[in-house]
């Protein structure tokens, strides 16, 4: 039997389900040491580039980031690939 959320008044008919949307929550990559708003380290920059390559075909519609330098530098490679 179908779960009640999928059942209809017409037995044997299944309602179309809406497209499933995914939300990716990503913490900033590795940062340099020191300062109140450090940049990404070389490793963090490389990992941000790798992340952008992994997600380039993920149909991402929006990117949100805090105003910290490390968050913006993490998001930038993906944002650049997506245009």
């Amino acid at each position: 039997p179908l779960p009640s959320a999928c059942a209809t008044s017409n037995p044997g008919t299944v309602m179309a389900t809406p497209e499933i949307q995914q939300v990716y929550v990503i913490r900033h990559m590795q940062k340099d040491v020191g300062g109140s708003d450090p940049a990404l380290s070389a490793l963090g920059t490389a990992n941000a580039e790798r992340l952008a390559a992994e997600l380039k075909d993920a149909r991402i519609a929006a990117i949100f980031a805090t105003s910290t330098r490390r968050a913006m530098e993490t998001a930038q490679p993906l944002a650049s690939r997506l245009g």
Side-chain angles (χ1 to χ4, degrees):
L2 296 172
S4 61
C6 295
T8 67
S9 60
N10 185 1
T13 302
V14 177
M15 295 173 46
T17 56
E19 184 177 332
I20 296 173
Q21 295 183 355
Q22 292 183 317
V23 175
Y24 297 91
V25 178
I26 300 164
R27 190 166 187 253
H28 62 78
M29 297 300 167
Q30 297 86 346
K31 61 184 178 175
D32 275 335
V33 178
S36 62
D37 191 16
L40 292 182
S41 66
L43 178 60
T45 300
N47 284 336
E49 291 290 342
R50 274 196 287 276
L51 176 69
E54 285 289 322
L55 295 178
K56 68 179 173 42
D57 296 322
R59 297 175 45 193
I60 293 175
I63 298 174
F64 299 92
T66 65
S67 60
T68 61
R69 186 173 177 182
R70 61 191 174 270
M72 299 297 277
E73 290 179 359
T74 297
Q76 185 58 50
L78 180 59
S80 293
R81 284 180 188 247
L82 299 177

